[in-house]
Amino acid sequence: MKKLLFAAKDDWTGLILRLTLGIVIFPHGAQKMLGWFGGNGFSNTIGYFTEVEQLPWLIAFLVILIEFFGSLLVIVGFASRLWSVSFIGLFMGIVLHAHTVHGFFMNWSGKQSGEGFEYHLLVIGLALALLINGSGRLSIDSIISGNRKEVSSGLPQYAK
């Protein structure tokens, strides 16, 4: 189980994937959890999801949990594969619940009644790549799995 959950290559790809995914998702989670970045905060978001969107409270709670804590843990590289699966499931649910009716494209021109699902596909793609690759360099997963190499610099050997 440890190998499946925490296995990580000591590569730059995982680092880039997890920082991109985590940094993009974090503000959305912070809006929902803390009310940062113009968000409504935890109680109001739970109320919106359960009353307006008609989602069960457990789903509403999991959305906030995955977006907020999942993004932070992906950034530091802890259990990135688990959080990647969570992001994939979450964003597939978001697409099916709220965005397929608006088509593929985001509402760049303001002419659609809502946002399409292209952004969500990018998140799913990043999460899938992270799931396959693992956390990469400078991650807690690489420390747990024992794959961290002691190197004096991040430069390839031939570049020194």
Side-chain angles (χ1 to χ4, degrees), residues 14-90:
L15 173 67
I16 293 166
L17 288 169
R18 68 172 216 274
L19 289 179
T20 303
L21 183 61
I23 290 169
V24 166
I25 300 299
F26 176 74
H28 298 278
Q31 286 178 319
K32 293 171 180 72
M33 177 69 84
L34 305 172
W36 293 1
F37 308 108
N40 294 320
F42 184 81
S43 297
N44 290 332
T45 301
I46 290 282
Y48 173 78
F49 282 152
T50 56
E51 295 166 21
V52 177
E53 294 294 329
Q54 299 294 303
L55 295 172
W57 73 268
L58 182 59
I59 298 297
F61 179 73
L62 287 173
V63 167
I64 297 168
L65 178 89
I66 292 167
E67 286 188 11
F68 184 72
F69 291 109
S71 63
L72 290 173
L73 291 171
V74 162
I75 289 169
V76 298
F78 180 75
S80 295
R81 286 192 163 105
L82 172 69
W83 291 110
S84 292
V85 170
S86 300
F87 286 140
I88 291 166
L90 173 63

Side-chain angles (χ1 to χ4, degrees), residues 10-13 15-16 136-138 148-160:
D10 190 37
D11 67 357
W12 293 104
T13 304
L15 173 67
I16 293 166
R137 194 169 281 241
L138 304 176
R148 192 176 102 217
K149 295 177 184 168
E150 299 297 330
V151 181
S152 60
S153 78
L155 296 174
Q157 294 299 329
Y158 59 84
K160 291 183 181 179

Side-chain angles (χ1 to χ4, degrees), residues 135-150:
S135 295
R137 194 169 281 241
L138 304 176
S139 67
I140 294 173
D141 288 350
S142 68
I143 295 169
I144 292 171
S145 70
N147 283 349
R148 192 176 102 217
K149 295 177 184 168
E150 299 297 330

Side-chain angles (χ1 to χ4, degrees), residues 96-134:
L96 294 173
H97 179 76
H99 293 277
T100 54
V101 297
H102 305 293
F104 177 78
F105 295 103
M106 294 180 66
N107 192 10
W108 295 109
S109 63
K111 296 178 183 174
Q112 294 172 201
S113 59
E115 297 290 343
F117 56 87
E118 66 179 317
Y119 159 79
H120 304 84
L121 290 180
L122 290 171
V123 169
I124 291 168
L126 283 169
L128 184 59
L130 185 59
L131 174 65
I132 293 166
N133 189 80

